[in-house]
Structure formats: C-alpha cells, structure tokens
C-alpha cells in the first residue's frame, strides 16, 4: 500500500503548534472578531478531542479540523442571523404607489467632493471603511467582508454559510447601501 | 418595443451592486445600461458605486497581505485547556 493510501491519523498533542494559527486566521478573516475567533479555535479543538474516535482517516487532520470550525462558523452565522431588531437600512425608494421603486427625493444621491477619486489611497479612508463595516449588522458585515474584501466566490460563501445566492445578493445590496451612506456622511461629504 | 428593458431605480441599484462583482448577467446589464441612459440620478449612483468598489478593492489588497496569529502565551493556555479536557 502506498503512503498516500494510508489512513490519516490524529495527533492532538501537536494540534496547537501545527494548526492553531491556520484555524485562527481562517476564523478571524470571516468573523472579524479576535476574541470570538480564539474561542472558536478552542471550541474546535475541544470538539475534535471529543469526536476523535469518529475520525476515519479519510481526510487530513487539518481538513478534518477545518470542517469542525466551518460548522462552528455556520452556528455563529445562524445565531446572528436570528437576532431581531438590528439596524435596518433607511429606505431610499418608494415602496408602494405609482412611484414604487423610484428614488425618494431626499434620499437622491448627492455629488461628492471633487477630490474623491484622487483620495482613495488615503490611509484614513481605509480606517473609515473599517469603522463603517464594523457599524453594519454583524450578518451583513460577515457576508460583505467575505464577498468584497476576501473576494470569495458567491458559491463558496453560500456553501459555507448555508444561504442561497438570492439571500447573498439581498445582504450585499443592503450592506453596500448602508456602507455608502456611512462613507458619504463620514468621508465623501464630510 | 423595449418595454422589457424597463426597470425601476431600485432594481437598477440592485443590478448595479451585482455588476460590481461582475456577476450581473447579460440581460441585467442590458437593463441597467438602458436605465442609465435615461436616469441621471442612477448614473451618478452608479459612478459613485464604482468609486466605492475601487476603495474596497484597495482594502481587499491590503487584507490579503495580512496574516493573523495567536501569540505564544495564548498557545500555551490553549494547550493547558486541551490537556484538562482530554483528562476529563
């Protein structure tokens, strides 16, 4: 039997040294919360220890641990997804009547300052983006970050978070609408 | 004749957001461009949306270079916790 056909084995004593950073990085870029990411890594290792007897050796140790972490991230997403009363986007369009779908006059986009285009490499601007993303409802921030900042494929995000592409686009649309307002108020028209 | 191309400003916004990721299909792009021909407000929105996408791309490039790690103390604590759990 060649080495590649050997079933993989687990070495929990080496998990922290071999995989903690990898798992932490995986979690923190998705949820953007250092403490929560650390908790999820710890929970992943604990869950791994508990279910070690079920490990069949078909995948590598790292892939197996990542699959546990992915489930933890989905659980977290479901939790934040079920939270009610989070910040709602301000409606920019009439939602009924003959003007349905048209801009509400006072929400019509306004021109930005002329130096906008030449200013986009500005460090303070990047900080402002972070602030605006962090002001989004957690669910929107997570999906927006995965799609726009981490540049994941739509299919990949839908699979990871167990959502449909239409769900994803609704969230992206709302997130971008809120971000636009935040950036306009705090940067482009400050 | 071109009635099927008619969309509202809200729909144009949605397509415009999708188009930022190159994920609007041919018909959606056609509808959006048709709408932009006749709607100055949405044309401004679309232009500003493109600027925001450029800004987000700069942010994305920066994030790609970042690597997050746990420090040694955190790793030691994690090892201790795991030992306790495996002894239980």
């Amino acid at each position: 039997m060649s080495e590649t056909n050997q079933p993989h084995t687990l070495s929990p004593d080496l998990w922290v040294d071999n995989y903690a950073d990898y798992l932490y990085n995986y979690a923190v870029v998705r949820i953007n919360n250092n403490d929560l990411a650390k908790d999820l890594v710890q929970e992943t290792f604990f869950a791994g220890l508990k279910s070690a007897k079920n490990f069949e050796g078909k995948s590598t140790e790292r892939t197996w641990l990542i699959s546990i972490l992915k489930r933890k991230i989905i659980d977290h997403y479901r939790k934040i997804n079920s939270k009610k009363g989070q910040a709602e986007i301000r409606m920019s369009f009439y939602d009924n009547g003959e003007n349905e779908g048209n801009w509400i006059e006072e929400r019509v986009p306004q021109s930005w300052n002329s130096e906008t285009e030449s200013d986009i490499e500005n460090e303070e601007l990047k900080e402002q983006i972070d602030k605006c993303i962090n002001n989004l409802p957690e669910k929107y921030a997570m999906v927006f970050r995965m799609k726009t900042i981490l540049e994941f494929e739509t299919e990949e995000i839908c699979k990871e978070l167990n959502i449909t592409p239409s769900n994803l686009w609704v969230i992206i649309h709302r997130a971008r609408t809120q971000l636009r307002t935040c950036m306009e108020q705090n940067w482009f028209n400050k | 004749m071109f009635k099927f191309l008619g969309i509202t400003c809200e729909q144009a916004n949605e397509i415009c957001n999708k188009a930022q990721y190159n994920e609007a299909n041919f018909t959606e792009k056609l509808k959006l461009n048709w709408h932009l021909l006749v709607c100055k407000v949405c044309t401004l929105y679309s232009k500003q949306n493109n600027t925001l996408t450029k800004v987000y791309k700069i942010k994305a490039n920066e994030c790609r270079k970042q690597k997050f790690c746990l420090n040694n103390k955190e790793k030691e604590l994690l090892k201790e916790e795991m030992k306790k759990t495996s002894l239980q």
Side-chain angles (χ1 to χ4, degrees), chain B:
Chain B
M1 183 184 173
F2 297 111
K3 211 175 174 185
F4 77 99
L5 290 175
I7 51 172
T8 64
C9 295
E10 188 172 18
Q11 288 166 328
N13 271 222
E14 286 165 9
I15 299 174
C16 181
N17 282 331
K18 219 171 164 184
Q20 301 302 312
Y21 303 90
N22 291 324
E23 292 197 38
N25 62 34
F26 178 74
T27 317
E28 286 173 328
K29 279 192 257 184
L30 203 62
K31 286 178 177 175
L32 175 63
N33 287 326
W34 183 260
H35 184 85
L36 295 183
L37 280 176
V38 294
C39 181
K40 280 186 183 171
V41 178
C42 287
T43 303
L44 175 64
Y45 175 89
S46 175
K47 193 182 157 216
Q48 290 175 339
N49 211 9
N50 291 341
T51 304
L52 283 170
T53 296
K54 279 186 206 166
V55 172
Y56 299 146
K57 282 217 165 109
I58 292 171
K59 184 77 197 155
N61 285 336
E62 198 183 53
C63 280
R64 212 172 293 130
K65 293 174 201 154
Q66 269 182 312
K67 281 276 166 273
F68 300 91
C69 298
L70 295 173
N71 64 39
N72 288 338
K73 198 180 164 191
E74 287 165 335
K75 285 182 185 172
E76 288 311 313
L77 277 172
L78 196 49
K79 282 180 190 172
E80 279 174 32
E81 291 297 324
M82 282 180 66
K83 261 184 206 162
K84 280 185 213 164
T85 306
S86 53
L87 289 173
Q88 279 170 5

Side-chain angles (χ1 to χ4, degrees), chain A residues 134-178:
Chain A
N134 290 334
N135 280 341
L136 290 174
E138 205 177 342
K139 173 174 89 163
Y140 295 176
M142 190 170 173
V143 176
F144 175 82
R145 201 175 288 112
M146 286 172 83
K147 183 70 192 153
T148 317
I149 307 297
L150 302 171
E151 298 177 326
F152 289 169
E153 295 294 333
T154 298
E155 200 185 336
E156 199 179 351
I157 302 170
C158 291
K159 210 172 154 191
E160 272 203 27
L161 302 180
N162 202 15
I163 57 175
T164 64
S166 344
N167 283 153
L168 177 136
W169 288 115
V170 169
I171 294 169
I172 291 289
H173 176 62
R174 290 181 177 178
R176 287 187 75 107
T177 305
Q178 275 188 249

